[in-house]
Amino acid sequence: MFNLTGKTALVTGAGSGIGRAIAQRFAAAGAQVCVADLDAKGGAETVALITAAGGRAEFVALDVADEEAVGALVWRLGALDILVNNAGIGHVGTILQTTGADLDRLYRVNVRGVFNVTKAFLPTMLARKKGSVINIASIGGIVAVRDRFAYVTTKFAVVGITKQLALDHSAEGVRFNCICPGRVETPFVQNRLKEYADPEKAYREMSATQLIGRMGRPEEIAAAAHYLASDESELVTGASLMADGGWSVGK
Ligand code: NAP
């Protein structure tokens, strides 16, 4: 079940958190994984964890917002079976607390990054009439999240990109889905917590937004990605898989 032997995967932002867990899980299932990240130290750590566990991985330094660098990566890697657009950054603030520069910065990584990498690698998948593209969106791509104007704006775009790609290209053998995590305990959330006057209280409140009363773990998002990457999910395209502990259901 969910065997990825013989498949080549690229996971962006795999030097930390959710991306690292996805890279580890794919490698454990037999895939050859390219760990792409801005952060060379984190990327090297991910590769070391994978190889120590007997998997196959290589690190590539990549800024997903750099279209030229992404183009060069296609020449280096060739065809992909699985692409996970995971690299993403956050910002806290209402529209009045968000500058144009903040919005541009988030847009460059969270939206242009998904555009750049998908556009560059999609022809390699279409040529072989197979492939799975998985975008890591967010609960913030489905419902509004208080004080996250720029972030929510970009994550709604990621959900829209996923649906549009599915409509335009699913008939050609490539599938496109996104995963919408709620709060997941990663450096991304740990850094946010440090911005609160009382981080422990903020931690409790963040955990309580999910019906299950706790945050997610990166390994739980990796399990969802593993399903969407595998041939067992062949029926699934254009989906937004909620992995949010029930947050989006309502209160
Ligand atoms: P994380 O721990 O901060 O890891 C993100 C990784 O992406 C970091 O290694 C980061 O490098 C890298 N990165 C940032 N900008 C990049 C760029 N331009 N090009 C390549 N790599 C880049 O974050 P995470 O929590 O695992 O989040 C991963 C994804 O899940 C994001 O898209 C995020 O929006 C989404 N998500 C997270 C949560 C959550 O609660 N954690 C919830 C919903 C959705 P640097 O450290 O050098 O910046």
Side-chain angles (χ1 to χ4, degrees), residues 63-66 103-113:
D63 178 355
V64 294
D66 181 345
L103 189 59
D104 288 348
R105 188 169 55 83
L106 261 74
Y107 189 88
R108 274 184 75 245
V109 179
N110 297 359
V111 182
R112 273 303 298 269

Side-chain angles (χ1 to χ4, degrees), residues 13 16 18 37 62-64 86 136-137 151 155 181-182 184 186 188-189:
S16 175
I18 292 170
D37 204 297
L62 181 74
D63 178 355
V64 294
N86 165 78
I136 307 301
Y151 185 70
K155 291 299 185 176
V184 182
T186 68
F188 185 88
V189 164

Side-chain angles (χ1 to χ4, degrees), residues 12-22 36-40 42-43 60-66 85-90 105 108-110 113-114 135-140 151 154-155 158 179-192 206 210 215-216 218 221 243 247:
T12 69
S16 175
I18 292 170
R20 171 176 288 174
I22 292 172
D37 204 297
L38 268 184
D39 175 7
V60 172
L62 181 74
D63 178 355
V64 294
D66 181 345
N85 287 305
N86 165 78
I89 55 175
R105 188 169 55 83
R108 274 184 75 245
V109 179
N110 297 359
V114 174
N135 297 326
I136 307 301
S138 169
I139 171 85
Y151 185 70
T154 60
K155 291 299 185 176
V158 173
I179 299 173
C180 300
R183 288 210 167 89
V184 182
E185 281 202 64
T186 68
F188 185 88
V189 164
Q190 281 145 11
N191 292 336
R192 290 289 89 72
M206 282 186 185
Q210 313 209 136
M215 294 195 204
I221 308 305
W247 179 353

Side-chain angles (χ1 to χ4, degrees), residues 58-218:
E58 65 168 321
F59 171 68
V60 172
L62 181 74
D63 178 355
V64 294
D66 181 345
E67 206 168 352
E68 215 173 293
V70 171
L73 189 57
V74 181
W75 288 105
R76 177 168 166 179
L77 293 184
L80 285 184
D81 298 291
I82 305 160
L83 165 61
V84 182
N85 287 305
N86 165 78
I89 55 175
H91 177 261
V92 179
T94 64
I95 190 170
L96 299 177
Q97 295 156 339
T98 303
T99 64
D102 292 330
L103 189 59
D104 288 348
R105 188 169 55 83
L106 261 74
Y107 189 88
R108 274 184 75 245
V109 179
N110 297 359
V111 182
R112 273 303 298 269
V114 174
F115 169 84
N116 290 342
V117 182
T118 307
K119 186 169 177 182
F121 281 97
L122 182 56
T124 75
M125 295 177 158
L126 293 174
R128 301 193 306 165
K129 294 187 169 39
K130 61 176 184 168
S132 174
V133 177
I134 302 161
N135 297 326
I136 307 301
S138 169
I139 171 85
I142 301 291
V143 298
V145 181
R146 198 169 298 284
D147 295 333
R148 298 290 189 282
F149 175 79
Y151 185 70
V152 163
T153 301
T154 60
K155 291 299 185 176
F156 265 73
V158 173
V159 173
I161 287 169
T162 308
K163 289 178 193 275
Q164 189 62 45
L165 288 168
L167 187 63
D168 288 341
H169 294 293
S170 295
E172 296 165 89
V174 183
R175 299 183 296 112
F176 306 84
N177 294 289
C178 61
I179 299 173
C180 300
R183 288 210 167 89
V184 182
E185 281 202 64
T186 68
F188 185 88
V189 164
Q190 281 145 11
N191 292 336
R192 290 289 89 72
L193 283 168
K194 286 181 203 149
E195 293 166 15
Y196 288 85
D198 184 346
E200 282 180 24
K201 182 168 168 264
Y203 180 89
R204 284 194 300 276
E205 285 171 1
M206 282 186 185
S207 301
T209 53
Q210 313 209 136
L211 296 186
I212 62 171
R214 66 165 175 85
M215 294 195 204
R217 292 185 285 272

